Amino acid sequence: MRITVLGGCGAWPAAGQACSGYLVEHDGFHVLVDPGYATLPRLLDLMPAERVDAVLVSHGHPDHCSDLNPLLRARALGDAPPAALPVHAPPGALDAVLALDNARMLAGSLTLHDLEPGTPREIGPFRLDAFALPHHVPNAGLRLTAGGRVVAYTGDTGPSADLVTLAAGADLLVAEATYPLRVPAEDAPYLSSALDAGRTAAAAGVARLLLTHLWPGTPPEPALAAAAESYDGDLDVATAGLTTEV
């Protein structure tokens, strides 16, 4: 599998950056995970919109799904609109972003599938397992398996025993790490720190940890140092353009 980071900012895109967005490829099949703010232009630098084969959305906050709207526009309003795009998300997560346009304009541009934790599904060459993880809104942790390799993604999440199950033995864990060491008390049940992400990665035995969703404008070094307190494997921060193969 090849994973390309389109963006990794939490909340809003810092200057020249983008929010959460990841392109996962295997056997010529392209899955877009979390099309957050400002991710579409970066995706279009890599491929035309019609080459996206499926979209996965962890949750309905706009920094994780807003650019689904221009992606659908780019497909529906082109000279030769492609087949409907399969989009997988928690129930109701995309109501707001899909309401941005008149339904007639995007009619036939997508097929919406509710993510069901505990029920694996096949998406092209990938097996997808979803996990219900705690956040301010329903959030699905995503585990993609293909070619004997595993990529796990937390979305945004607070503490949960299911995080270790989600990430168990993964070749790559993409983990929310909004704060380096401590999540403010009011958000502690719903968000994670880089220190938390490192502990999860160590407990799950992952081969590589990619920290994402850092607060815009914060340097990566404190997050990397916090995660390294408990995780001694390959470690990096998600920045636009970063590509890795597992």
Side-chain angles (χ1 to χ4, degrees):
M1 279 189 277
R2 174 181 292 174
I3 299 90
T4 301
V5 177
L6 304 175
C9 288
W12 73 90
Q17 298 297 316
C19 284
S20 295
Y22 317 92
L23 182 66
V24 185
E25 307 171 60
H26 183 70
D27 282 351
F29 194 92
H30 303 90
V31 176
L32 176 60
V33 179
D34 274 8
Y37 292 128
T39 54
L40 182 65
R42 297 178 183 277
L43 174 71
L44 296 180
D45 279 339
L46 303 175
M47 65 180 62
E50 58 268 22
R51 286 193 60 197
V52 177
D53 296 299
V55 174
L56 308 181
V57 174
S58 63
H59 65 284
H61 282 158
D63 56 328
H64 291 258
C65 66
S66 65
D67 272 25
L68 178 62
N69 173 261
L71 173 63
L72 294 176
R73 279 181 162 231
R75 292 168 63 96
L77 303 179
D79 292 335
L85 178 64
V87 178
H88 305 257
L94 299 177
D95 289 354
V97 71
L98 293 177
L100 290 172
D101 268 316
N102 186 303
R104 292 193 302 274
M105 191 174 79
L106 298 180
S109 63
L110 82 159
T111 53
L112 192 56
H113 305 272
D114 289 342
L115 284 176
E116 300 175 7
T119 304
R121 66 183 61 177
E122 303 300 319
I123 300 175
F126 296 95
R127 169 184 163 131
L128 170 65
D129 292 273
F131 295 77
L133 297 177
H135 191 43
H136 298 283
V137 298
N139 173 70
L142 307 172
R143 182 181 173 98
L144 286 168
T145 305
R149 302 290 184 173
V150 175
V151 173
Y153 172 52
T154 65
D156 293 351
T157 182
S160 171
D162 286 336
L163 282 166
V164 173
T165 305
L166 164 73
D171 297 281
L172 175 67
L173 170 62
V174 183
E176 179 247 320
T178 304
Y179 300 93
L181 289 168
R182 186 180 68 84
V183 180
E186 64 271 19
D187 286 326
Y190 311 114
L191 291 172
S192 295
S193 67
L195 182 65
D196 296 327
R199 290 169 174 166
T200 295
V206 307
R208 184 176 187 190
L209 172 60
L210 189 62
L211 303 174
T212 192
H213 204 266
L214 275 62
W215 201 250
T218 58
E221 290 80 10
L224 291 168
E229 289 188 20
S230 55
Y231 178 69
D232 61 3
D234 193 356
L235 177 62
D236 210 341
V237 167
T239 54
L242 178 67
T243 300
T244 186
E245 297 196 12
V246 299

